[in-house]
C-alpha cells in the first residue's frame, strides 16, 4: 500500500478517495548531474513515471533491495499537486501547487545499465516498490520564489548533494507546464524536479540527513537505510 501524503503535518486529502497519485520524474534537469553520468544535456525535460506503490516515507528509515545490484540515491525537490491541470501556464502551475517537499528517486543502477544496453524501458530500475521515499510537504507562500529553494543531503555526516532550484535547466513552473502539455496532473500527483550532482550508491546502515529550505519554511529530516530482500 502506498504511503499517505501529509501536508503541513496533516493528511493530504484534496478529494474523497484520492491519495497518492502518479509520480512524474524529470531526468537530467541539472547540467552538473548530466555531466557526472557522462550524459548529454537534453534539449527538453526527460520525463518518466513511478506508480503510487513506489511511494514510502523517508524518515525515520526507508528500505532498499539488497539482491538487485547497486542502489543509487537521487535527492530531489518534490512538488505536490493540489488541482487538476492540463496545458498549464506558469500562473496556473503556481496556483495548482499544494506543497513542496523532499523526494528520492532510488535507482537500481546495475539494472538500469542492463536495460539501457538492450534499449529497453527503465521501469524495473526506477519504479520498483519503495523507489520513491518522500517527506511530508509544506504549503508554499502565495508569492513563493520558486527559483530560491535550497536542497542538501549528507551521507554518514559528509555532504553528498547540494543544489538550488535556480540551477535547474527548466525551472519548476515551466517544468509543470511542459509536463501538462503531455498529460494531465491530478490532485495527489507528485513531481520530482530532477537531482543535483552527487548521486551515488547507498547501503544498509547509512545515516542520511536531508534539508530543504524555502523562503519561509524548511524541512530537516534524518533517515537510516535498511535492507530488504524482496
Amino acid at each position: 500500500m502506498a504511503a499517505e501524503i501529509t501536508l503541513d503535518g496533516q493528511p493530504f486529502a484534496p478529494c474523497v478517495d484520492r491519495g497518492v497519485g502518479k509520480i512524474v520524474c524529470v531526468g537530467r534537469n541539472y547540467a552538473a548531474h548530466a555531466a557526472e553520468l557522462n550524459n548529454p544535456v537534453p534539449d527538453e525535460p526527460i520525463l518518466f513515471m513511478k506508480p503510487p506503490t513506489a511511494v514510502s516515507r523517508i524518515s525515520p528509515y526507508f528500505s532498499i533491495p539488497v539482491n538487485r545490484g547497486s542502489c543509487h540515491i537521487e535527492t530531489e525537490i518534490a512538488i505536490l499537486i493540489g488541482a487538476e491541470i492540463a496545458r498549464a501556464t506558469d500562473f496556473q502551475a503556481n496556483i495548482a501547487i499544494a506543497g513542496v517537499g523532499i523526494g528520492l528517486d532510488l535507482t537500481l543502477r546495475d539494472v538500469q545499465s542492463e536495460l539501457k544496453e538492450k534499449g529497453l524501458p527503465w521501469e524495473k530500475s526506477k519504479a520498483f516498490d519503495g523507489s520513491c521515499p518522500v517527506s511530508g510537504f509544506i504549503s508554499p507562500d502565495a508569492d513563493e520564489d520558486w527559483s530560491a529553494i535550497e536542497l542538501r543531503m549528507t551521507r554518514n555526516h559528509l555532504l553528498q548533494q547540494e543544489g538550488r532550484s535556480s540551477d535547474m535547466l527548466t525551472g519548476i513552473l515551466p517544468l509543470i507546464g511542459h509536463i501538462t502539455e503531455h498529460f494531465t496532473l491530478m490532485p495527489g500527483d507528485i513531481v520530482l524536479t530532477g537531482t543535483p550532482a552527487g548521486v551515488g550508491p547507498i547501503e544498509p546502515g547509512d545515516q542520511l540527513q536531508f534539508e530543504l529550505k524555502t523562503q519561509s519554511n524548511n524541512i530537516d529530516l534524518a533517515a537510516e537505510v535498511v535492507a530488504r530482500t524482496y
Side-chain angles (χ1 to χ4, degrees), residues 116-146:
K116 283 184 174 181
E117 287 177 3
K118 297 176 182 178
L120 298 174
W122 298 354
E123 278 83 356
K124 290 181 181 179
S125 67
K126 289 278 193 178
F128 57 92
D129 289 353
S131 63
C132 186
V134 296
S135 70
F137 290 80
I138 53 178
S139 298
D141 283 352
D143 60 348
E144 189 72 53
D145 183 352
W146 294 107

Side-chain angles (χ1 to χ4, degrees), residues 71 81 84 92-93 99 111 145 151 189 206:
C71 183
I81 302 300
E84 180 178 338
Q92 291 168 327
V111 175
D145 183 352
L151 181 69
D189 287 351
D206 282 347

Side-chain angles (χ1 to χ4, degrees), residues 138-159:
I138 53 178
S139 298
D141 283 352
D143 60 348
E144 189 72 53
D145 183 352
W146 294 107
S147 67
I149 300 173
E150 299 177 9
L151 181 69
R152 289 168 54 92
M153 186 272 283
T154 62
R155 176 177 175 241
N156 300 327
H157 310 293
L158 297 176
L159 179 64

Side-chain angles (χ1 to χ4, degrees), residues 76-117:
E76 312 198 11
I77 298 169
I79 301 297
L80 177 63
I81 302 300
E84 180 178 338
I85 48 171
R87 296 170 293 281
T89 64
D90 283 2
F91 174 78
Q92 291 168 327
N94 185 53
I95 61 176
I97 295 174
V100 58
I102 301 167
L104 306 183
D105 173 15
L106 299 183
T107 304
L108 298 174
R109 195 68 76 193
D110 296 335
V111 175
Q112 185 187 40
S113 296
E114 292 173 5
L115 293 169
K116 283 184 174 181
E117 287 177 3

